[in-house]
Amino acid sequence: GEAGTFKLVSKSLQVREDCGVASIKVRRMSGTAPCEIKYKTAPVSATAGKDYNTVSNGRLKFAFEQEEAVIEILVYDDDGYEADKMFKVIVHGVDHGRLVNEEGTALEAAVCLVTIKDNDFDVPRLILNSSAFTTVTALSTLYALFGTEIAQMYATKEDDFLLGCVTGLVAGIFLLEIVFTLYVKGKKYGYSVMFYMDLIAMVALIP
C-alpha cells in the first residue's frame, strides 16, 4: 500500500518553558504503509540551542496502519523572566507520501509555530525584578545603616511613634525581600552571605 497523506494536527502550539518537551502531532489522513516524515526546527524569536533543541534532519516514523505520531522537541528552562519566545517546526517531506492541509491540498511543507510561555511570570519574581522595589530596598538599607542613629540624635519625643512606624515598615520590607528571594532563588540564596546580612539587618530594626 501507499504511505498516503499526512497533515499537522495544529498550526500553532503554546507550551510552558518548564514543560520539557513540545509535542507536535502529525496525523495520517489516508494510506497504510510504513514511512518516515522529515522535519526540522527554525528560530523565530527563540534562540536555537538555548531555548529549544535544534533539529536539522529529524525523521518521524509511522508504522504500518499507524494513524498518528508525535514530533518531540526539547524545550529548555531558565531562571530569568523573558517575553514569550517562538520557533517553527517545519515538516518538509514524506517518503512515498505527501503533506496536505485541512482541505486536502498538497503542500511542499507544513509549519507549526511553537510559542514558549515563560514560567517565571509570578508575583514574587515581578516584585523582586521591579525597579521600584529595588529603590525601596536600597532606601531601607540606608535607613537600617544610618537612619536609627540619626533619629536618636535629632528626633524629639513626639517623633517616637512616627519613627517606630517607619522602622517597622523597613523591617517588614526586609522580611518581604527575604521571603520573596527564598521563593525565587531557593537554597542558592538561603545558603548565601546575603541571606544572613538581610536577616541581621531585619532583626537589628526590631526594638
Side-chain angles (χ1 to χ4, degrees), residues 143-164:
Y143 181 83
L145 290 172
F146 310 111
T148 52
E149 291 183 9
I150 293 173
Q152 288 175 0
M153 291 171 59
Y154 298 104
T156 63
K157 282 272 186 182
E158 289 75 18
D159 298 324
D160 285 350
F161 176 75
L162 179 60
L163 287 172

Side-chain angles (χ1 to χ4, degrees), residues 102-120:
E102 291 289 342
E103 291 74 34
T105 305
L107 300 172
E108 289 290 327
V111 177
C112 179
L113 182 64
V114 181
T115 302
I116 304 172
K117 308 289 288 184
D118 198 277
N119 64 313
D120 301 312

Side-chain angles (χ1 to χ4, degrees), residues 158-204:
E158 289 75 18
D159 298 324
D160 285 350
F161 176 75
L162 179 60
L163 287 172
C165 291
V166 173
T167 302
L169 178 63
V170 171
I173 291 168
F174 275 116
L175 177 60
L176 197 66
E177 181 186 24
I178 289 169
V179 171
F180 282 0
T181 309
L182 279 172
Y183 170 81
V184 172
K185 295 185 178 179
K187 293 180 180 179
K188 185 178 179 181
Y189 170 69
Y191 293 149
S192 69
V193 174
M194 187 60 68
F195 168 74
Y196 292 101
M197 289 177 65
D198 288 341
L199 196 62
I200 290 169
M202 183 192 71
V203 172

